[in-house]
Amino acid sequence: MVSPSSQDDSNVRSQLCQHLRFLYPEANAEELADSVIAIFDDFQPQIPLPLNQLWSEQDCLLITYGDSIVDGDVAPLETLDQFLSQHLQGAVSAVHVLPFCPFSSDDGFAVIDYAQVNSKLGDWSQISSISDRYRLMADIVINHCSSQSQWFQNYCDGVEPGATYFMEASAGDDLSAVVRPRASPLLRPTKTANGLKHVWCTFSHDQVDLDFRNPQVLLEFLKIVRLYLQQGVSIFRLDAIGFLWKESGTSCIHLPQTHEVVRLIRTVTDSFAPGTLLITETNVPNHENLTYFGNRNEAHVIYNFSLAPLLVHALLTGKTEYLKRWMMSMPPAPVGCTYLNFTASHDGIGMRPAEGLLSDEEQLQLVETVRSFGGKVSTRRTEGGGERVYELNVALFDALQGTVAGTDQWQVERFLCSQTVMMGLEGIPAFYIHSLLATGNDLDGVAATDQNRSINRHKWGWSDLQEHLGDDRSVHAQVFRELTRRMQLRRRHAPFHPNATQFTLQLSEPFFAYWRQSTDRSQSIFCVYNMTNQVQELRLSDLNLISTDVWYDAISGLRFDEQTSVLELTPYQSLWITNR
């Protein structure tokens, strides 16, 4: 530890005042800054890591609910820890445990009490146990909280804390341009001690939006950040952050004040807990998502939301043009920033990030194909009052059970290809637990909850899972073993550093390919993927391999000699052609 100098303390206070004056021009910024500093008064700044050491090719993230695996009366967080120890050592470096607090709906995203661990999952000691061995990522569900929270009960009763914590709307407010991810009514009539009020609910009427125009709400969430840091959390996912600040007459998404709140949280974590990472969850069109890097002063990491719909589209159609076009348009992440690459999540495959990248016809074909494979579709309300597809709800393994022509025998190969593409891209790869386990659509879960998203939120019994993973004939074992093998392979190759050079290769239509080069330029990897269910010929001369180097495929171990000129790639085969 290094004690902060008075100069450092003065600089932090000055930065906080700058943020706070912008957010709360009528308030006393100096007093608010002192309140922020007081929250972290016993957090001693450490010497921060250089920007090029925040992550490496060794990093890979697992996304899971605390109870994705259950074992009778054993605390699910303890079972998760056991699964990590037995099956994922040497494969993942970080774990995102989805909301683990007491909640009332949305599988954790309607938080009742941010300061507690849901007793059905375990307790803080089990959260800390995971953080002892992995970088731990936790959600700050910052836009809204549960209508069953004490804050909201206090709001209804007219007492603090809570009486002034929630976003209200009045009859004169212009809400015509509000962008939302749901088709439900925006406002919820609520009886309070001060009469009937209409509270803002971006997501559902059980998830009531907080009013960050009140600085006390900001201070409450900084206390939550402080608590989570104490418990070992080192990556914070700012959930639904784009909707945070609302103003009548605007779209109420990505407002300047929202970006300023992110910058303030970044200043706080950089100052009091260097090495802590911020990731913003903004399931929106690509150009909007990129703004959350800010000027390298907002998110360290942003989700690569467009990857999932474009990659699934390419694998279902065999067309790579849209995926290539997007790849070529993506800027390298700024220094000290990177992307989080993922192909599946607890929600679904977001379609908003495909807007402007896939035509309406291509999107419709994708939707109908996924539906034919048992998937569901969720919609959102548009500005004109209509509805549009918001996300595809489907287990990714089942989404890839065939092509637009129907099911075929290449499901496993197609799925492995999807994950291998994601693994090789610029950024940090993130695997949803049900992708690693090749879990299929949970239609029973959908029937039980009447929620489309339950289709990809299956709960495995620990003994049942162990039996499957121990059975060589099980598709779950086959996919899991090959994916973890490739995850471990990836860690050995410097060109897979999240910020290593990436260049899209212009091969023929059946192929999607890109070149990665290590930051010291000593190693190259040509990543080539057959995106079709047909055998395809690849001419190595098209890759311009340096003739003085020895080249081989890191995945299969196949070595190429001077006589090798043409390779036959089987359906959905992946190659990582490297010189080291």
Side-chain angles (χ1 to χ4, degrees):
M1 294 282 190
V2 176
S3 298
S5 67
S6 58
Q7 181 64 41
D8 291 336
D9 191 47
S10 176
N11 288 341
V12 172
R13 192 171 187 273
S14 175
Q15 289 179 60
L16 289 172
C17 285
Q18 184 176 344
H19 298 308
L20 293 164
R21 288 191 189 101
F22 182 87
L23 292 169
Y24 310 111
E26 304 300 320
N28 185 318
E30 288 75 15
E31 288 184 1
L32 285 176
D34 288 341
S35 296
V36 173
I37 292 170
I39 293 170
F40 296 89
D41 59 358
D42 60 347
F43 258 81
Q44 296 296 318
Q46 303 177 33
I47 299 174
L49 290 170
L51 292 178
N52 64 354
Q53 293 181 24
L54 290 174
W55 40 71
S56 75
E57 64 275 12
Q58 299 286 315
D59 287 307
C60 186
L61 180 79
L62 173 72
I63 305 168
T64 181
Y65 279 102
D67 59 354
S68 290
I69 308 172
V70 293
D71 184 17
D73 294 332
V74 178
L77 286 171
E78 187 176 324
T79 304
L80 172 61
D81 205 354
Q82 190 175 359
F83 171 72
L84 292 167
S85 297
Q86 290 188 21
H87 296 289
L88 286 177
Q89 284 197 43
V92 301
S93 61
V95 180
H96 175 198
V97 181
L98 288 155
F100 47 71
C101 299
F103 69 95
S104 55
S105 64
D106 199 16
D107 282 352
F109 287 91
V111 177
I112 293 175
D113 186 349
Y114 292 88
Q116 300 296 323
V117 174
N118 184 352
S119 60
K120 294 180 180 179
L121 298 179
D123 56 34
W124 281 117
S125 68
Q126 288 145 349
I127 292 289
S128 297
S129 176
I130 294 172
S131 74
D132 287 342
R133 293 181 292 113
Y134 301 91
R135 266 183 166 177
L136 179 60
M137 178 165 152
D139 292 271
I140 299 293
V141 184
I142 195 169
N143 175 72
H144 51 264
C145 71
S146 169
S147 65
Q148 296 182 31
S149 66
Q150 189 60 55
W151 285 348
F152 192 67
Q153 295 308 307
N154 288 353
Y155 168 79
C156 294
D157 294 339
V159 298
E160 297 290 2
T164 56
Y165 280 17
F166 293 90
M167 189 72 191
E168 300 175 349
S170 60
D173 290 339
D174 176 9
L175 308 181
S176 60
V178 172
V179 170
R180 296 187 61 222
R182 298 289 185 273
S184 56
L186 172 63
L187 302 180
R188 165 186 161 161
T190 302
K191 293 180 181 179
T192 76
N194 297 311
L196 183 67
K197 302 292 182 181
H198 290 81
V199 292
W200 197 292
C201 298
T202 296
F203 291 89
S204 79
H205 282 194
D206 186 42
Q207 294 164 292
V208 190
D209 286 31
L210 292 146
D211 188 354
F212 273 79
R213 296 175 303 177
N214 178 355
Q216 293 306 312
V217 175
L218 174 65
L219 294 177
E220 291 280 14
F221 275 90
L222 293 179
K223 292 174 186 175
I224 294 164
V225 169
R226 165 72 162 75
L227 171 64
Y228 287 14
L229 286 169
Q230 275 185 295
Q231 303 299 334
V233 174
S234 57
I235 307 174
F236 288 93
R237 177 185 184 269
L238 302 180
D239 177 65
I241 186 68
F243 302 101
L244 187 75
W245 202 280
K246 292 91 174 171
E247 287 189 358
S248 174
T250 74
S251 65
C252 298
I253 188 170
H254 313 316
L255 296 190
Q257 293 92 335
T258 293
H259 285 278
E260 196 68 33
V261 170
V262 178
R263 287 192 282 270
L264 183 147
I265 297 172
R266 173 69 180 268
T267 293
V268 166
T269 54
D270 280 356
S271 301
F272 298 106
T276 301
L277 302 182
L278 296 185
I279 179 167
T280 47
E281 191 264 330
T282 49
N283 191 0
V284 294
N286 195 48
H287 66 281
E288 298 175 30
N289 187 35
L290 288 167
T291 64
Y292 282 85
F293 279 140
N295 186 21
R296 296 167 48 197
N297 60 352
E298 294 188 36
H300 296 87
V301 185
I302 64 172
Y303 284 90
N304 225 339
F305 276 109
S306 298
L307 173 62
L310 292 176
L311 181 56
V312 170
H313 173 268
L315 288 164
L316 293 182
T317 64
K319 300 177 183 177
T320 58
E321 58 182 295
Y322 299 99
L323 189 58
K324 288 176 183 174
R325 189 182 305 158
W326 165 74
M327 275 275 288
M328 289 187 290
S329 69
M330 283 293 286
V335 174
C337 302
T338 195
Y339 298 104
L340 191 75
N341 297 318
F342 74 108
T343 53
S345 75
H346 59 288
D347 287 341
I349 299 171
M351 292 303 293
R352 282 212 73 203
E355 293 175 12
L357 300 174
L358 288 177
S359 68
D360 288 346
E361 293 76 15
E362 297 285 355
Q363 290 191 54
L364 179 60
Q365 184 183 42
L366 178 57
V367 168
E368 292 307 316
T369 303
V370 168
R371 271 185 170 144
S372 74
F373 295 155
K376 307 291 183 179
V377 174
S378 297
T379 61
R380 67 179 178 89
R381 185 70 55 86
T382 63
E383 184 177 331
E387 291 188 15
R388 184 163 183 159
V389 173
Y390 177 67
E391 69 184 12
L392 305 178
N393 303 113
V394 65
L396 185 64
F397 186 64
D398 275 355
L400 297 175
Q401 63 186 270
T403 69
V404 292
T407 57
D408 59 25
Q409 72 271 37
W410 301 109
Q411 182 178 16
V412 169
E413 291 80 4
R414 187 180 294 111
F415 181 75
L416 288 172
C417 180
S418 75
Q419 302 307 283
T420 310
V421 168
M422 183 263 288
M423 266 189 258
L425 290 171
E426 175 192 352
I428 299 170
F431 291 87
Y432 185 44
I433 192 168
H434 291 305
S435 292
L436 274 183
L437 299 174
T439 310
N441 292 331
D442 188 349
L443 297 178
D444 290 340
V446 174
T449 65
D450 197 29
Q451 299 292 324
N452 285 349
R453 286 178 166 179
S454 296
I455 201 168
N456 199 23
R457 298 179 179 180
H458 180 71
K459 288 181 172 60
W460 277 97
W462 178 233
S463 60
D464 188 30
L465 178 60
Q466 289 282 68
E467 182 179 342
H468 277 289
L469 294 182
D471 182 356
D472 291 341
R473 298 165 298 175
S474 165
V475 69
H476 306 290
Q478 293 167 18
V479 169
F480 183 78
R481 289 176 187 176
E482 183 57 22
L483 281 181
T484 52
R485 185 183 78 87
R486 295 186 189 189
M487 291 160 71
Q488 290 164 343
L489 276 176
R490 178 187 176 276
R491 301 181 76 179
R492 303 174 196 168
H493 296 283
F496 290 135
H497 186 286
N499 297 116
T501 298
Q502 177 173 286
F503 184 80
T504 308
L505 300 176
Q506 297 304 309
L507 302 183
S508 58
E509 174 75 354
F511 298 110
F512 178 58
Y514 47 87
W515 171 68
R516 304 294 308 276
Q517 185 183 54
S518 58
T519 54
D520 66 2
R521 301 186 180 182
S522 65
Q523 184 183 4
S524 291
I525 292 184
F526 292 83
C527 302
V528 183
Y529 309 93
N530 177 4
M531 305 292 279
T532 73
N533 59 5
Q534 303 294 318
V535 173
Q536 302 291 344
E537 288 190 347
L538 172 69
R539 295 185 180 277
L540 288 181
S541 58
D542 291 341
L543 299 179
N544 296 319
L545 303 180
I546 298 173
S547 61
T548 56
D549 288 350
V550 175
W551 297 89
Y552 75 100
D553 173 28
I555 295 175
S556 68
L558 177 65
R559 183 166 171 167
F560 308 126
D561 55 33
E562 294 179 0
Q563 283 71 45
T564 308
S565 59
V566 178
L567 295 177
E568 284 194 345
L569 271 67
T570 57
Y572 306 105
Q573 184 176 351
S574 302
L575 298 176
W576 285 345
I577 302 172
T578 182
N579 59 342
R580 287 182 65 178

